[in-house]
Amino acid sequence: MEQYEPERLTPPRAAALPRGPRGGRAALARRSLLRAATGGALAAGGLGTLAACGIPAAGKSQGGTSAQDHSATEKVVNFSNWTEYLDVDDSGKHHPTLETFRRRTGITVDYTEDINDNNEFFGKIKPQLAAGQDTGRDIIVLTDWLAARMIRLGWVQKLDPSNLPHAYTNLSAQFRDPDWDPGRAYSYPWQGISAVIAFNRKALDGIEVRSVSDLLDNPKLKGRVGFLSEMRDSVGMTLLDMGKDPARFTDDDYDAAIARLQRAVDKGQIRRFTGNDYTSDLSKGDFAACIAWAGDVVQLKADNPDIDFVIPDSGYVTSTDNLCIPNKARHKTNAERLIDFYYEPEQAAALAAYINYVTPVDGVKPYLAKIDQDAADNPLIVPDQAMQAKSHAFRSLSQKEETAYEGKFAKLTGA
């Protein structure tokens, strides 16, 4: 079995937490919460195991554990999500897409924004899942590294393809086959999260930035470059720049990427590693350029015309938040119907127009154009084929690798 090791927030990740939403949109608040705890910093605190916590061992995933499905008689689905991660009407009290789902199906969605970070939420549901009990939730949204762990532990259920015709048909090719859930047997993406290069045109003052090499090596940018405190994004982008695939790198490749970043730190090229608080540095011009999350860039561009982005020729790193059905969920079929509902392009468009993350649903663009033409034309929300082709996922890590890699990254960042 995979044993659970509690993870700690590093100071940069903890510092990212007290950010608020902007303009009614979710991007900045969502980003700070998500990346505050992304499977990182295993080496930063004490390590324990499930057994040490008094929790019985879980077997490896063979399809999860189902319960009697009460969907036919109980027209409800319990949905736990991150804060500010669903469309909201002008009153701030109602979610239009959930209302549409209820009217169409007769199923009421008990929607709860009770996920503040991955580790905290995992700690909340772990005792019930380890004991083979219902968590009271039918759908949960987990970042890819935690979804991978839950699948390995055998704590999420295998999905029934017959209840997911739209999801199967409309899932974007770039998200179809992650190494931690081949063929999407246990999960479907809620949204994609891309790391790109963002820059402040005014602060650059004519300097061209088109690659990670420019960030690391151009002396004109010394002390005005930012990288992220999220290991997978900063190291993943560096690996790509070095001609290595983040989905297939070796220990030596990883060490070479760390060494390259260390050289930039030592010579003062990198100003600092940040959580979501890079947004302030970039807007003010303290960062001329940095590695940034696409959802933030959409919002920053709307507020400041000097902010823009570039996709390196070497590619960029994309992760996902994922819809999963935990073991013993009481309303599995209802949950699958809700997942499938959000893979209808019209509903996916309504969601994308509000939260501005990468939609994982093909066919969204014409529907989104009716709501917001700028969003429909934005490749950070609806990637075209050329941009999809440049997207790379950071491979899943073993427990041993994650401990070692995060330890080296923490040493690099001073966390």
Side-chain angles (χ1 to χ4, degrees):
M1 63 168 272
E2 174 186 308
Q3 293 183 328
Y4 170 63
E5 294 183 347
E7 298 160 335
R8 305 291 196 268
L9 293 183
T10 62
R13 293 182 177 110
L17 285 172
R19 303 286 297 178
R22 293 169 55 89
R25 299 294 182 121
L28 299 182
R30 167 66 185 132
R31 168 55 46 225
S32 61
L33 292 170
L34 171 65
R35 288 306 190 192
T38 53
L42 285 175
L47 301 181
T49 65
L50 284 169
C53 297
I55 297 174
K60 287 195 173 182
S61 175
Q62 298 295 328
T65 305
S66 62
Q68 182 179 355
D69 192 349
H70 296 269
S71 294
T73 56
E74 298 178 5
K75 296 297 184 178
V76 65
V77 58
N78 298 302
F79 183 6
S80 283
N81 203 352
W82 295 76
T83 58
E84 300 286 347
Y85 213 20
L86 188 65
D87 55 305
V88 180
D89 67 6
D90 291 340
S91 74
K93 298 179 180 179
H94 303 286
H95 302 287
T97 55
L98 293 185
E99 291 295 321
T100 299
F101 179 76
R102 181 188 58 79
R103 289 194 299 270
R104 182 191 298 181
T105 65
I107 299 169
T108 298
V109 180
D110 184 359
Y111 183 73
T112 308
E113 295 180 335
D114 62 345
I115 306 179
N116 290 314
D117 71 59
N118 286 289
N119 292 319
E120 177 186 276
F121 185 69
F122 183 64
K124 185 186 300 184
I125 62 176
K126 176 184 63 177
Q128 297 103 306
L129 290 169
Q133 299 171 354
D134 180 13
T135 67
R137 300 166 177 87
D138 301 306
I139 300 179
I140 54 180
V141 180
L142 306 175
T143 305
D144 44 19
W145 66 266
L146 182 55
R149 170 172 287 167
M150 292 279 284
I151 292 169
R152 290 194 299 267
L153 287 168
W155 288 354
V156 294
Q157 296 188 53
K158 196 167 187 176
L159 301 172
D160 183 348
S162 68
N163 292 328
L164 298 160
H166 295 98
Y168 180 81
T169 300
N170 296 328
L171 175 60
S172 173
Q174 74 178 103
F175 299 119
R176 279 193 176 271
D177 202 34
D179 65 349
W180 48 271
D181 187 14
R184 291 290 180 180
Y186 297 91
S187 68
Y188 269 89
W190 178 243
Q191 297 292 289
I193 306 151
S194 297
V196 300
I197 294 177
F199 59 84
N200 184 316
R201 189 176 287 104
K202 184 176 181 180
L204 283 178
D205 193 25
I207 301 170
E208 185 175 45
V209 172
R210 301 203 58 82
S211 69
V212 171
S213 288
D214 291 334
L215 297 182
L216 294 176
D217 300 330
N218 189 334
K220 294 180 180 179
L221 296 177
K222 183 176 179 179
R224 299 191 295 143
V225 168
F227 273 69
L228 294 167
S229 57
E230 162 53 31
M231 179 270 286
R232 288 165 177 81
D233 291 326
S234 286
V235 175
M237 292 290 282
T238 305
L239 284 166
L240 284 168
D241 190 71
M242 297 168 65
K244 303 296 183 180
D245 186 348
R248 295 177 177 85
F249 66 89
T250 66
D251 286 349
D252 287 343
D253 295 333
Y254 183 88
D255 288 345
I258 290 291
R260 190 170 183 214
L261 289 166
Q262 185 67 62
R263 289 193 295 271
V265 170
D266 292 343
K267 67 183 181 182
Q269 185 77 5
I270 296 176
R271 184 184 184 96
R272 65 191 185 103
F273 291 83
T274 72
N276 177 254
D277 47 329
Y278 74 84
T279 57
S280 175
D281 291 292
L282 186 62
S283 294
K284 291 186 299 183
D286 291 340
F287 285 164
C290 63
I291 304 298
W293 290 303
D296 292 347
V297 176
V298 173
Q299 292 301 302
L300 292 171
K301 277 173 59 68
D303 295 339
N304 184 344
D306 288 326
I307 304 300
D308 213 333
F309 73 97
V310 64
I311 303 298
D313 289 340
S314 60
Y316 65 102
V317 176
T318 300
S319 57
T320 52
D321 284 337
N322 306 277
L323 299 155
C324 300
I325 299 177
N327 284 359
K328 297 289 186 177
R330 189 176 175 88
H331 311 104
K332 182 174 184 285
T333 299
N334 290 347
E336 290 167 336
R337 292 183 69 182
L338 183 61
I339 293 171
D340 195 61
F341 171 79
Y342 278 107
Y343 273 80
E344 296 176 13
E346 185 174 3
Q347 310 309 326
L351 181 62
Y354 185 82
I355 63 176
N356 290 169
Y357 281 90
V358 180
T359 176
V361 181
D362 281 342
V364 163
K365 189 167 185 175
Y367 295 96
L368 185 54
K370 295 177 182 179
I371 305 170
D372 185 338
Q373 185 66 56
D374 288 342
D377 293 336
N378 192 329
L380 298 182
I381 300 174
V382 186
D384 57 23
Q385 288 187 350
M387 187 161 175
Q388 287 185 25
K390 291 185 175 183
S391 173
H392 297 265
F394 197 96
R395 69 172 173 82
S396 57
L397 302 177
S398 69
Q399 180 183 7
K400 181 179 179 181
E401 286 176 325
E402 190 156 25
T403 302
Y405 291 174
E406 285 285 359
K408 293 174 181 178
F409 190 70
K411 183 178 179 180
L412 167 73
T413 63

Short mmCIF file of all heavy atoms in Angstrom, two decimals, residues 4 7 38-39 82 117-123 125 141-153 156 180 322 324:
data_model
loop_
_atom_site.label_atom_id
_atom_site.label_comp_id
_atom_site.label_asym_id
_atom_site.label_seq_id
_atom_site.Cartn_x
_atom_site.Cartn_y
_atom_site.Cartn_z
N TYR A 4 0.35 7.07 3.94
CA TYR A 4 0.15 8.52 3.95
C TYR A 4 1.18 9.21 4.82
O TYR A 4 1.46 8.79 5.95
CB TYR A 4 -1.24 8.85 4.49
CG TYR A 4 -1.42 10.31 4.76
CD1 TYR A 4 -1.34 11.23 3.73
CD2 TYR A 4 -1.63 10.78 6.06
CE1 TYR A 4 -1.48 12.58 3.97
CE2 TYR A 4 -1.77 12.12 6.31
CZ TYR A 4 -1.70 13.02 5.26
OH TYR A 4 -1.84 14.35 5.50
N GLU A 7 1.81 16.43 5.02
CA GLU A 7 2.63 17.40 4.34
C GLU A 7 2.46 18.77 4.98
O GLU A 7 1.41 19.11 5.48
CB GLU A 7 2.25 17.44 2.86
CG GLU A 7 2.50 16.09 2.22
CD GLU A 7 1.73 15.89 0.95
OE1 GLU A 7 0.69 16.53 0.78
OE2 GLU A 7 2.16 15.09 0.12
N THR A 38 0.37 21.82 -2.54
CA THR A 38 0.24 21.03 -3.75
C THR A 38 1.12 19.79 -3.70
O THR A 38 1.85 19.49 -4.61
CB THR A 38 0.62 21.87 -4.97
OG1 THR A 38 1.90 22.44 -4.73
CG2 THR A 38 -0.37 22.96 -5.20
N GLY A 39 1.03 19.09 -2.61
CA GLY A 39 1.82 17.88 -2.53
C GLY A 39 3.25 18.17 -2.14
O GLY A 39 4.11 17.32 -2.23
N TRP A 82 -13.66 23.74 -4.11
CA TRP A 82 -12.87 24.85 -3.60
C TRP A 82 -13.71 26.13 -3.58
O TRP A 82 -14.72 26.23 -4.28
CB TRP A 82 -11.67 25.07 -4.51
CG TRP A 82 -10.70 23.94 -4.53
CD1 TRP A 82 -10.85 22.74 -5.18
CD2 TRP A 82 -9.43 23.89 -3.89
NE1 TRP A 82 -9.76 21.95 -4.97
CE2 TRP A 82 -8.86 22.64 -4.19
CE3 TRP A 82 -8.72 24.79 -3.11
CZ2 TRP A 82 -7.61 22.25 -3.73
CZ3 TRP A 82 -7.46 24.41 -2.65
CH2 TRP A 82 -6.93 23.16 -2.95
N ASP A 117 -7.46 23.77 1.17
CA ASP A 117 -6.24 23.30 0.52
C ASP A 117 -6.28 21.78 0.50
O ASP A 117 -7.07 21.14 1.21
CB ASP A 117 -4.97 23.86 1.17
CG ASP A 117 -4.67 23.30 2.55
OD1 ASP A 117 -4.51 22.08 2.69
OD2 ASP A 117 -4.57 24.10 3.49
N ASN A 118 -5.46 21.20 -0.34
CA ASN A 118 -5.51 19.76 -0.55
C ASN A 118 -5.22 18.97 0.73
O ASN A 118 -5.93 18.03 1.06
CB ASN A 118 -4.50 19.37 -1.63
CG ASN A 118 -4.94 19.76 -3.02
OD1 ASN A 118 -5.86 19.18 -3.56
ND2 ASN A 118 -4.28 20.74 -3.60
N ASN A 119 -4.17 19.36 1.43
CA ASN A 119 -3.77 18.61 2.62
C ASN A 119 -4.82 18.67 3.72
O ASN A 119 -5.14 17.67 4.37
CB ASN A 119 -2.44 19.14 3.15
CG ASN A 119 -1.30 18.85 2.21
OD1 ASN A 119 -1.21 17.77 1.65
ND2 ASN A 119 -0.43 19.82 2.03
N GLU A 120 -5.34 19.87 3.93
CA GLU A 120 -6.35 20.04 4.97
C GLU A 120 -7.58 19.21 4.67
O GLU A 120 -8.13 18.53 5.55
CB GLU A 120 -6.72 21.52 5.07
CG GLU A 120 -7.81 21.82 6.08
CD GLU A 120 -8.23 23.28 6.02
OE1 GLU A 120 -7.56 24.12 6.65
OE2 GLU A 120 -9.22 23.58 5.31
N PHE A 121 -8.02 19.21 3.41
CA PHE A 121 -9.21 18.45 3.04
C PHE A 121 -8.95 16.96 3.15
O PHE A 121 -9.80 16.20 3.62
CB PHE A 121 -9.65 18.83 1.63
CG PHE A 121 -10.94 18.18 1.22
CD1 PHE A 121 -12.14 18.54 1.82
CD2 PHE A 121 -10.95 17.20 0.24
CE1 PHE A 121 -13.34 17.94 1.44
CE2 PHE A 121 -12.13 16.59 -0.14
CZ PHE A 121 -13.32 16.95 0.47
N PHE A 122 -7.78 16.53 2.72
CA PHE A 122 -7.45 15.12 2.83
C PHE A 122 -7.49 14.66 4.29
O PHE A 122 -8.00 13.59 4.61
CB PHE A 122 -6.07 14.85 2.23
CG PHE A 122 -5.67 13.40 2.23
CD1 PHE A 122 -6.38 12.47 1.50
CD2 PHE A 122 -4.57 12.96 2.96
CE1 PHE A 122 -6.02 11.12 1.49
CE2 PHE A 122 -4.20 11.63 2.96
CZ PHE A 122 -4.92 10.71 2.21
N GLY A 123 -6.95 15.50 5.17
CA GLY A 123 -7.00 15.18 6.59
C GLY A 123 -8.42 15.09 7.12
O GLY A 123 -8.70 14.31 8.04
N ILE A 125 -11.19 14.07 5.39
CA ILE A 125 -11.94 12.91 4.92
C ILE A 125 -11.20 11.58 5.13
O ILE A 125 -11.80 10.51 5.02
CB ILE A 125 -12.30 13.05 3.43
CG1 ILE A 125 -11.04 13.13 2.55
CG2 ILE A 125 -13.19 14.28 3.22
CD1 ILE A 125 -11.34 13.18 1.05
N VAL A 141 -13.35 17.61 -5.44
CA VAL A 141 -12.45 18.15 -6.45
C VAL A 141 -11.03 18.17 -5.89
O VAL A 141 -10.76 18.86 -4.91
CB VAL A 141 -12.87 19.57 -6.87
CG1 VAL A 141 -11.93 20.12 -7.94
CG2 VAL A 141 -14.31 19.57 -7.40
N LEU A 142 -10.15 17.38 -6.50
CA LEU A 142 -8.80 17.20 -6.00
C LEU A 142 -7.78 17.56 -7.07
O LEU A 142 -7.95 17.20 -8.24
CB LEU A 142 -8.58 15.73 -5.59
CG LEU A 142 -9.58 15.13 -4.60
CD1 LEU A 142 -9.29 13.65 -4.40
CD2 LEU A 142 -9.54 15.87 -3.26
N THR A 143 -6.70 18.22 -6.66
CA THR A 143 -5.61 18.49 -7.57
C THR A 143 -4.95 17.17 -7.97
O THR A 143 -4.97 16.20 -7.21
CB THR A 143 -4.61 19.44 -6.90
OG1 THR A 143 -5.31 20.61 -6.48
CG2 THR A 143 -3.51 19.85 -7.86
N ASP A 144 -4.36 17.14 -9.16
CA ASP A 144 -3.95 15.88 -9.76
C ASP A 144 -3.09 15.00 -8.86
O ASP A 144 -3.30 13.79 -8.76
CB ASP A 144 -3.28 16.09 -11.12
CG ASP A 144 -2.28 17.22 -11.15
OD1 ASP A 144 -1.81 17.65 -10.08
OD2 ASP A 144 -1.97 17.69 -12.27
N TRP A 145 -2.12 15.60 -8.13
CA TRP A 145 -1.25 14.77 -7.29
C TRP A 145 -2.04 14.07 -6.19
O TRP A 145 -1.76 12.92 -5.84
CB TRP A 145 -0.11 15.59 -6.69
CG TRP A 145 -0.54 16.63 -5.71
CD1 TRP A 145 -0.79 17.94 -5.97
CD2 TRP A 145 -0.76 16.46 -4.30
NE1 TRP A 145 -1.17 18.60 -4.82
CE2 TRP A 145 -1.16 17.71 -3.78
CE3 TRP A 145 -0.66 15.37 -3.44
CZ2 TRP A 145 -1.46 17.90 -2.43
CZ3 TRP A 145 -0.97 15.57 -2.10
CH2 TRP A 145 -1.37 16.82 -1.60
N LEU A 146 -3.06 14.76 -5.63
CA LEU A 146 -3.84 14.13 -4.57
C LEU A 146 -4.85 13.14 -5.15
O LEU A 146 -5.12 12.09 -4.55
CB LEU A 146 -4.55 15.20 -3.72
CG LEU A 146 -5.37 14.66 -2.55
CD1 LEU A 146 -4.53 13.78 -1.63
CD2 LEU A 146 -5.99 15.81 -1.75
N ALA A 147 -5.40 13.46 -6.31
CA ALA A 147 -6.27 12.49 -6.98
C ALA A 147 -5.51 11.20 -7.25
O ALA A 147 -6.04 10.09 -7.05
CB ALA A 147 -6.81 13.07 -8.28
N ALA A 148 -4.25 11.33 -7.67
CA ALA A 148 -3.42 10.15 -7.91
C ALA A 148 -3.24 9.33 -6.63
O ALA A 148 -3.33 8.10 -6.63
CB ALA A 148 -2.06 10.57 -8.46
N ARG A 149 -2.98 10.01 -5.53
CA ARG A 149 -2.82 9.32 -4.24
C ARG A 149 -4.11 8.60 -3.84
O ARG A 149 -4.08 7.44 -3.40
CB ARG A 149 -2.42 10.31 -3.16
CG ARG A 149 -2.48 9.71 -1.75
CD ARG A 149 -1.89 10.65 -0.73
NE ARG A 149 -0.44 10.67 -0.88
CZ ARG A 149 0.34 11.58 -0.29
NH1 ARG A 149 -0.20 12.54 0.43
NH2 ARG A 149 1.65 11.52 -0.44
N MET A 150 -5.24 9.27 -3.99
CA MET A 150 -6.52 8.67 -3.61
C MET A 150 -6.82 7.43 -4.45
O MET A 150 -7.35 6.43 -3.94
CB MET A 150 -7.62 9.70 -3.76
CG MET A 150 -7.55 10.85 -2.77
SD MET A 150 -8.25 10.45 -1.16
CE MET A 150 -10.00 10.54 -1.56
N ILE A 151 -6.47 7.48 -5.73
CA ILE A 151 -6.67 6.32 -6.58
C ILE A 151 -5.77 5.17 -6.12
O ILE A 151 -6.20 4.02 -6.02
CB ILE A 151 -6.40 6.68 -8.06
CG1 ILE A 151 -7.49 7.63 -8.58
CG2 ILE A 151 -6.35 5.42 -8.92
CD1 ILE A 151 -7.17 8.25 -9.93
N ARG A 152 -4.51 5.48 -5.82
CA ARG A 152 -3.59 4.43 -5.36
C ARG A 152 -4.05 3.82 -4.04
O ARG A 152 -3.86 2.62 -3.81
CB ARG A 152 -2.17 5.00 -5.22
CG ARG A 152 -1.51 5.34 -6.54
CD ARG A 152 0.00 5.55 -6.35
NE ARG A 152 0.31 6.64 -5.45
CZ ARG A 152 0.53 7.90 -5.84
NH1 ARG A 152 0.42 8.22 -7.12
NH2 ARG A 152 0.85 8.83 -4.97
N LEU A 153 -4.61 4.64 -3.18
CA LEU A 153 -5.09 4.13 -1.90
C LEU A 153 -6.37 3.32 -2.03
O LEU A 153 -6.77 2.61 -1.11
CB LEU A 153 -5.34 5.30 -0.94
CG LEU A 153 -4.09 5.98 -0.38
CD1 LEU A 153 -4.47 7.30 0.30
CD2 LEU A 153 -3.37 5.07 0.60
N VAL A 156 -11.26 6.10 -4.13
CA VAL A 156 -12.26 6.69 -5.03
C VAL A 156 -12.80 5.58 -5.93
O VAL A 156 -12.13 4.57 -6.18
CB VAL A 156 -11.68 7.84 -5.88
CG1 VAL A 156 -11.29 9.01 -5.00
CG2 VAL A 156 -10.50 7.38 -6.72
N TRP A 180 -1.37 8.88 -14.02
CA TRP A 180 -1.91 8.43 -12.74
C TRP A 180 -3.36 7.92 -12.85
O TRP A 180 -3.88 7.32 -11.92
CB TRP A 180 -1.84 9.55 -11.71
CG TRP A 180 -2.37 10.87 -12.19
CD1 TRP A 180 -1.67 11.87 -12.82
CD2 TRP A 180 -3.71 11.34 -12.08
NE1 TRP A 180 -2.50 12.93 -13.11
CE2 TRP A 180 -3.75 12.63 -12.66
CE3 TRP A 180 -4.88 10.80 -11.53
CZ2 TRP A 180 -4.93 13.38 -12.73
CZ3 TRP A 180 -6.05 11.55 -11.59
CH2 TRP A 180 -6.06 12.82 -12.19
N ASN A 322 -9.61 17.81 -10.37
CA ASN A 322 -10.33 16.67 -10.90
C ASN A 322 -11.54 16.29 -10.06
O ASN A 322 -11.49 16.30 -8.82
CB ASN A 322 -9.37 15.47 -10.97
CG ASN A 322 -8.12 15.79 -11.74
OD1 ASN A 322 -8.10 15.73 -12.96
ND2 ASN A 322 -7.06 16.18 -11.04
N CYS A 324 -13.87 13.60 -8.58
CA CYS A 324 -13.77 12.20 -8.16
C CYS A 324 -14.97 11.86 -7.27
O CYS A 324 -15.51 12.73 -6.58
CB CYS A 324 -12.48 11.96 -7.38
SG CYS A 324 -10.95 12.32 -8.27
#
